[in-house]
Amino acid sequence: MAELKVLFATSEVAPLIKTGGLADVSGALPAALRAIGVDVRVLVPGYNPVIAQLAHHQVVASFDDLPGFPPARLLSGTLANAVPLLVLDCPSLYQREGGPYQNTQGHDWADNALRFGLLSKVAAVLGSSASPLAWHPDLVHCNDWQTALTPAYLHFAPGAVPSVIAIHNLAFQGIFPPATVQQLHLPPSCYSIDGVEFYGSLSFLKAGLFYADHITTVSPNYAKEIQQEELGFGMQGLLTTRSDHLTGILNGIDTDEWDPATDPYLARQYSSVNMNGKAVNKEFLQSRMGLNIEPDVPLLGVVSRFTDQKGLDLLLEIAPLLTELPVQLAMLGSGDAQMQKTARDLSHLYPGKIGVMIGFSEELSHQIEAGADMFVMPSRFEPCGLNQMYSQRYGTPPIVHATGGLADSVADCTAATLKDATASGFTFNGMTAENLYATIQRAVGLYHNTSQWEALRKNCMAKDFSWQNSAEAYRTVYLKVLGR
Ligand code: ADP
């Protein structure tokens, strides 16, 4: 069989540039696919940190006259895990202070349509007979709204290969005024309900969902949920129509980066056969977060974007009650200004019991996974979620709302699941503060039963969250799309 070649277009890739789970997936899935013989190359914009970390690069193509876009170049490089990288270099669009999507004030860049229109356009050129590269993919795999115009451009391009669009979060859709269709040189005819139009605007994501040959999303349960009104964000009709071409594949995690036995960020490494180090990490975390050094008080960890999606408002609401259980709380995250303020205020009201760090810290996120006794993730919706998998690998049972990928990756602790050794955390239905509180209370009850708690931790750490199974599932999708 001819080798399978895939262009993986993404707006972020760990460790070069990361705002969330998409970067983790883009950093790990291509490597896992290469390990099973798929020739994947990653296309990513040349933001400042990406260019800065590109050690040796070559200019492999120039795009001087893409209609509607400024001149751009393609640089070749490699990720640390040896995955070949194509960096889209267009300084006027990508090299600025701030994040990939927002400026330093947290506002979306005004020219995001152009920035991600170009990324989508170049991905489509590379997947068509107009490509300047010698390497021609069999298929383009795009991810989320930022690359979701690719299938639309491909649809109208000569000699185009098929495309797959992966939904990592349906809540972000890339909605722009209708005039953007002309600005981005999409054919006017595609601005229709059977095309890129979505309630009177251009939707990048809708374009991808409509034109891609296949749609994937990051957990089987989320694949079902997005076909319903509650979590379909207006796309449920289209997704239901396309359900024969929609597959849910649970993300894996990078098991090298997230391994308590080798993690360089930890105060002491540990493993399921030697858990002694976990207590050392707990004490370290308590000290780093300004918490009282209490070995026997359960410590709840949180690492999260502070947004409505993550349901942390419920946790903040019950935090004072939780301190009386007693438990301690160590929170790392940033986002919504009001939520940040509430969290900070709580840490001042409950010194030694609630520790809050506002910001983004890879190091501290590892230390929380290791040092906490339990990890809390009460997301309202969660396409897949990664932290609940990291926490299981670190022997830190997660407490989660049973939604999306959380329901697919955490088995609730019951008498039956403890008995058959499948229990791996605590789940609740019904998104209320009462339900969250009751579930934390249930977890704390088990924590004080040492032998059962140890058994639960062992179950967590024995689970296989590696990318291999998921990579196989993606390859199956690619082959199906290609009719091979
Ligand atoms: P999402 O992509 O919706 O933010 P995920 O759980 O899928 O949620 O992935 C989030 C990723 O970003 C995880 O790797 C998580 O550890 C990381 N992360 C989120 N917030 C922070 C933070 N403040 N500091 C460090 N890492 C963070």
Side-chain angles (χ1 to χ4, degrees), residues 12 18-25 168-169 172 218 251 257-258 302-307 309-310 332-334 357-366 369 375 377 379 381-388 390 406:
E12 47 185 282
K18 167 168 165 177
T19 70
L22 171 59
D24 293 298
V25 175
H168 300 264
N169 193 335
F172 302 107
V218 290
N251 284 337
E257 198 201 330
W258 294 92
V302 172
V303 179
S304 182
R305 290 185 291 118
F306 285 9
T307 63
Q309 177 197 335
K310 300 294 178 179
L332 164 67
S334 62
M357 204 74 90
I358 302 295
F360 197 95
S361 164
E362 200 65 45
E363 176 190 80
L364 183 55
S365 72
H366 286 243
E369 294 289 7
F375 192 89
M377 206 163 163
S379 307
F381 67 93
E382 192 60 77
C384 177
L386 295 169
N387 278 302
Q388 82 284 5
Y390 300 151
L406 298 176

Side-chain angles (χ1 to χ4, degrees), residues 181 187-199 201-202 206-207 210-211:
V181 173
S189 64
C190 74
Y191 190 69
S192 108
I193 184 154
D194 288 324
V196 306
E197 189 264 346
F198 185 65
Y199 294 101
S201 296
L202 159 66
K206 158 96 188 286
F210 184 81
Y211 287 110

Side-chain angles (χ1 to χ4, degrees), residues 20-22 25 144 166-172 205 216-226 231-233 247-252 305 307 309-310 377-389 401-409 474:
L22 171 59
V25 175
D144 275 351
I167 306 169
H168 300 264
N169 193 335
L170 195 61
F172 302 107
L205 188 63
T216 63
T217 189
V218 290
S219 68
N221 194 35
Y222 193 61
K224 287 189 209 135
E225 289 173 344
I226 56 178
L231 293 180
F233 290 95
T247 309
I249 302 174
L250 193 69
N251 284 337
R305 290 185 291 118
T307 63
Q309 177 197 335
K310 300 294 178 179
M377 206 163 163
S379 307
R380 292 201 156 72
F381 67 93
E382 192 60 77
C384 177
L386 295 169
N387 278 302
Q388 82 284 5
M389 297 197 267
H401 179 216
T403 183
L406 298 176
D408 281 330
S409 59
Y474 277 101

Side-chain angles (χ1 to χ4, degrees), residues 127-182:
S128 75
S129 52
S131 174
L133 298 185
W135 180 83
H136 287 279
D138 298 304
L139 180 144
V140 182
H141 175 143
C142 33
N143 295 278
D144 275 351
W145 75 264
Q146 295 88 346
T147 47
L149 277 192
T150 306
Y153 282 124
L154 280 170
H155 183 79
F156 300 103
V161 298
S163 59
V164 171
I165 174 117
I167 306 169
H168 300 264
N169 193 335
L170 195 61
F172 302 107
Q173 303 190 342
I175 307 280
F176 299 97
T180 315
V181 173
Q182 197 183 2

